[in-house]
Amino acid sequence: MKKIASFTVNHLDLLPGIYVSRKDYVGNEVLTTFDLRMTAPNKEPVMNTAEVHTIEHLGATYLRNEEAYKDRIIYFGPMGCRTGFYLIMSGDLESKDVLPLVTDTFEFIRDFSGEVPGASPRDCGNYLDMNLPMANYLAKRYLDQTLYQITEETLTYPQ
C-alpha cells in the first residue's frame, strides 16, 4: 500500500508551525487540511491526553462559533501522535491564510477559564479527562514560541 500523505512528511526536521498537510477535492469543493504542529516531533515530550482533550473542546467550540469562518470549519481534532492538531477547512487555502484564525483560536484557549464547553457526562464520552491549566499553558507556549514569530520555515513542510 502507498504511504498516506502525513507519513511522507520528514518528522526529523519538522518544527512547530502551521502547515498545509493536504488538499482534497469533493466535487468542485477543495478541503484544505492544516497541520497545527505544537511540539517538535521526536524531540520534545508529547502532550498528555487530558490537555489535548481540553484543547480539542475549546478549539472546536471557538472555531465553530467564529463568525467569519464558522461555515468553513469541517473538523478540528488531535493528531494520534499528540504533537498537534488537524484543522480541516473548506477552500483552497495556504498556511498564511489561516494564521490570524489559528492565532485567535489559541489566544482564546490561553485565556479561557471556567467550565470547559461539552465537559459533562451527557455531552462527552470521557468528560473527566480534562486539564484546563495545562491547555492554557500549551496554548500560550504555542503562541509565544511559534505563532507570534512565524517564519516561512514554520509555514512550509521541510523536504
Short mmCIF file of all heavy atoms in Angstrom, two decimals, residues 54-56 58-60 62 76 104-113 132 135-140:
data_model
loop_
_atom_site.label_atom_id
_atom_site.label_comp_id
_atom_site.label_asym_id
_atom_site.label_seq_id
_atom_site.Cartn_x
_atom_site.Cartn_y
_atom_site.Cartn_z
N THR A 54 -8.83 18.84 26.22
CA THR A 54 -9.32 20.17 26.58
C THR A 54 -9.13 21.14 25.41
O THR A 54 -10.05 21.91 25.08
CB THR A 54 -8.59 20.69 27.83
OG1 THR A 54 -8.72 19.72 28.88
CG2 THR A 54 -9.17 22.02 28.30
N ILE A 55 -7.95 21.11 24.78
CA ILE A 55 -7.71 21.98 23.63
C ILE A 55 -8.69 21.64 22.50
O ILE A 55 -9.22 22.54 21.84
CB ILE A 55 -6.24 21.85 23.14
CG1 ILE A 55 -5.30 22.45 24.18
CG2 ILE A 55 -6.06 22.51 21.78
CD1 ILE A 55 -3.82 22.15 23.93
N GLU A 56 -8.97 20.36 22.32
CA GLU A 56 -9.93 19.94 21.30
C GLU A 56 -11.31 20.56 21.57
O GLU A 56 -11.93 21.13 20.67
CB GLU A 56 -10.05 18.42 21.25
CG GLU A 56 -11.10 17.94 20.27
CD GLU A 56 -11.41 16.46 20.41
OE1 GLU A 56 -11.12 15.87 21.47
OE2 GLU A 56 -11.94 15.91 19.45
N LEU A 58 -12.12 23.21 23.43
CA LEU A 58 -12.09 24.67 23.34
C LEU A 58 -11.88 25.13 21.90
O LEU A 58 -12.55 26.06 21.43
CB LEU A 58 -11.00 25.23 24.25
CG LEU A 58 -11.24 25.06 25.74
CD1 LEU A 58 -10.01 25.47 26.54
CD2 LEU A 58 -12.46 25.84 26.20
N GLY A 59 -10.94 24.50 21.19
CA GLY A 59 -10.68 24.90 19.82
C GLY A 59 -11.87 24.66 18.91
O GLY A 59 -12.24 25.54 18.12
N ALA A 60 -12.49 23.50 19.00
CA ALA A 60 -13.64 23.20 18.16
C ALA A 60 -14.79 24.15 18.46
O ALA A 60 -15.46 24.64 17.55
CB ALA A 60 -14.08 21.75 18.36
N TYR A 62 -14.59 27.24 19.74
CA TYR A 62 -14.25 28.58 19.24
C TYR A 62 -14.41 28.64 17.72
O TYR A 62 -15.07 29.55 17.18
CB TYR A 62 -12.83 28.96 19.64
CG TYR A 62 -12.46 30.33 19.11
CD1 TYR A 62 -12.82 31.47 19.79
CD2 TYR A 62 -11.78 30.47 17.90
CE1 TYR A 62 -12.53 32.73 19.30
CE2 TYR A 62 -11.47 31.72 17.40
CZ TYR A 62 -11.85 32.85 18.10
OH TYR A 62 -11.57 34.09 17.59
N PHE A 76 -11.78 19.98 13.63
CA PHE A 76 -10.62 20.34 14.44
C PHE A 76 -10.42 19.22 15.45
O PHE A 76 -11.33 18.92 16.23
CB PHE A 76 -10.84 21.67 15.18
CG PHE A 76 -9.70 22.02 16.11
CD1 PHE A 76 -8.54 22.57 15.62
CD2 PHE A 76 -9.81 21.79 17.48
CE1 PHE A 76 -7.48 22.89 16.48
CE2 PHE A 76 -8.77 22.10 18.34
CZ PHE A 76 -7.60 22.66 17.83
N ASP A 104 -5.99 33.57 16.85
CA ASP A 104 -7.17 33.92 17.66
C ASP A 104 -7.68 32.71 18.45
O ASP A 104 -8.06 32.84 19.62
CB ASP A 104 -8.30 34.45 16.78
CG ASP A 104 -8.02 35.82 16.19
OD1 ASP A 104 -7.07 36.49 16.62
OD2 ASP A 104 -8.77 36.21 15.27
N THR A 105 -7.67 31.55 17.82
CA THR A 105 -8.14 30.32 18.47
C THR A 105 -7.27 30.00 19.69
O THR A 105 -7.80 29.71 20.78
CB THR A 105 -8.13 29.14 17.49
OG1 THR A 105 -8.97 29.45 16.37
CG2 THR A 105 -8.60 27.86 18.15
N PHE A 106 -5.97 30.07 19.52
CA PHE A 106 -5.09 29.72 20.63
C PHE A 106 -5.02 30.82 21.69
O PHE A 106 -4.76 30.53 22.86
CB PHE A 106 -3.72 29.26 20.12
CG PHE A 106 -3.78 27.82 19.66
CD1 PHE A 106 -4.15 27.52 18.36
CD2 PHE A 106 -3.56 26.79 20.55
CE1 PHE A 106 -4.27 26.20 17.96
CE2 PHE A 106 -3.67 25.47 20.15
CZ PHE A 106 -4.03 25.17 18.85
N GLU A 107 -5.29 32.06 21.33
CA GLU A 107 -5.45 33.11 22.34
C GLU A 107 -6.70 32.85 23.18
O GLU A 107 -6.68 33.03 24.41
CB GLU A 107 -5.51 34.49 21.68
CG GLU A 107 -4.17 34.95 21.16
CD GLU A 107 -4.21 36.24 20.37
OE1 GLU A 107 -5.30 36.67 19.94
OE2 GLU A 107 -3.13 36.83 20.16
N PHE A 108 -7.76 32.40 22.52
CA PHE A 108 -8.98 32.03 23.25
C PHE A 108 -8.68 30.89 24.23
O PHE A 108 -9.08 30.94 25.41
CB PHE A 108 -10.07 31.61 22.26
CG PHE A 108 -11.30 31.03 22.89
CD1 PHE A 108 -12.26 31.84 23.47
CD2 PHE A 108 -11.50 29.65 22.92
CE1 PHE A 108 -13.39 31.30 24.07
CE2 PHE A 108 -12.62 29.10 23.51
CZ PHE A 108 -13.58 29.93 24.09
N ILE A 109 -7.96 29.87 23.78
CA ILE A 109 -7.63 28.74 24.64
C ILE A 109 -6.72 29.19 25.78
O ILE A 109 -6.92 28.81 26.94
CB ILE A 109 -6.99 27.60 23.81
CG1 ILE A 109 -8.00 27.06 22.80
CG2 ILE A 109 -6.46 26.49 24.72
CD1 ILE A 109 -7.40 26.17 21.72
N ARG A 110 -5.72 29.99 25.47
CA ARG A 110 -4.79 30.50 26.50
C ARG A 110 -5.54 31.25 27.60
O ARG A 110 -5.23 31.11 28.78
CB ARG A 110 -3.77 31.43 25.85
CG ARG A 110 -2.82 32.10 26.84
CD ARG A 110 -2.12 33.30 26.25
NE ARG A 110 -3.08 34.34 25.91
CZ ARG A 110 -2.84 35.33 25.06
NH1 ARG A 110 -1.68 35.43 24.45
NH2 ARG A 110 -3.77 36.23 24.80
N ASP A 111 -6.52 32.04 27.23
CA ASP A 111 -7.21 32.93 28.17
C ASP A 111 -8.46 32.32 28.79
O ASP A 111 -9.07 32.93 29.67
CB ASP A 111 -7.60 34.23 27.47
CG ASP A 111 -6.39 34.99 26.96
OD1 ASP A 111 -5.27 34.77 27.48
OD2 ASP A 111 -6.55 35.80 26.02
N PHE A 112 -8.85 31.13 28.36
CA PHE A 112 -10.11 30.55 28.81
C PHE A 112 -10.04 30.15 30.29
O PHE A 112 -9.05 29.58 30.74
CB PHE A 112 -10.49 29.32 27.98
CG PHE A 112 -11.88 28.84 28.28
CD1 PHE A 112 -12.97 29.39 27.63
CD2 PHE A 112 -12.09 27.87 29.23
CE1 PHE A 112 -14.25 28.96 27.92
CE2 PHE A 112 -13.37 27.43 29.54
CZ PHE A 112 -14.46 27.98 28.88
N SER A 113 -11.11 30.44 31.00
CA SER A 113 -11.28 29.97 32.38
C SER A 113 -12.74 29.57 32.54
O SER A 113 -13.59 29.97 31.77
CB SER A 113 -10.89 31.05 33.39
OG SER A 113 -11.75 32.16 33.27
N LEU A 132 -7.48 21.90 32.10
CA LEU A 132 -7.52 23.27 31.61
C LEU A 132 -6.24 24.05 31.88
O LEU A 132 -5.74 24.73 30.98
CB LEU A 132 -8.75 24.01 32.16
CG LEU A 132 -8.92 25.45 31.70
CD1 LEU A 132 -8.97 25.56 30.18
CD2 LEU A 132 -10.15 26.06 32.35
N ALA A 135 -3.81 23.05 29.28
CA ALA A 135 -4.26 23.52 27.96
C ALA A 135 -3.95 25.01 27.82
O ALA A 135 -3.45 25.44 26.77
CB ALA A 135 -5.75 23.26 27.78
N ASN A 136 -4.21 25.80 28.86
CA ASN A 136 -3.86 27.23 28.85
C ASN A 136 -2.36 27.41 28.62
O ASN A 136 -1.94 28.23 27.79
CB ASN A 136 -4.24 27.91 30.15
CG ASN A 136 -5.70 27.90 30.51
OD1 ASN A 136 -6.05 27.80 31.68
ND2 ASN A 136 -6.59 28.02 29.55
N TYR A 137 -1.57 26.65 29.36
CA TYR A 137 -0.11 26.74 29.26
C TYR A 137 0.39 26.39 27.85
O TYR A 137 1.22 27.09 27.27
CB TYR A 137 0.54 25.82 30.30
CG TYR A 137 2.03 25.65 30.09
CD1 TYR A 137 2.93 26.61 30.54
CD2 TYR A 137 2.53 24.54 29.41
CE1 TYR A 137 4.29 26.47 30.32
CE2 TYR A 137 3.89 24.39 29.18
CZ TYR A 137 4.76 25.36 29.64
OH TYR A 137 6.10 25.22 29.41
N LEU A 138 -0.10 25.27 27.30
CA LEU A 138 0.35 24.84 25.99
C LEU A 138 -0.08 25.81 24.89
O LEU A 138 0.67 26.03 23.93
CB LEU A 138 -0.14 23.42 25.69
CG LEU A 138 0.53 22.34 26.52
CD1 LEU A 138 -0.19 21.01 26.35
CD2 LEU A 138 2.00 22.20 26.14
N ALA A 139 -1.26 26.39 25.02
CA ALA A 139 -1.70 27.40 24.05
C ALA A 139 -0.79 28.62 24.11
O ALA A 139 -0.37 29.15 23.07
CB ALA A 139 -3.15 27.79 24.32
N LYS A 140 -0.44 29.05 25.32
CA LYS A 140 0.47 30.19 25.48
C LYS A 140 1.84 29.87 24.88
O LYS A 140 2.43 30.69 24.18
CB LYS A 140 0.61 30.56 26.96
CG LYS A 140 1.55 31.73 27.23
CD LYS A 140 1.67 32.03 28.70
CE LYS A 140 2.53 33.21 29.04
NZ LYS A 140 3.53 33.66 28.10
#
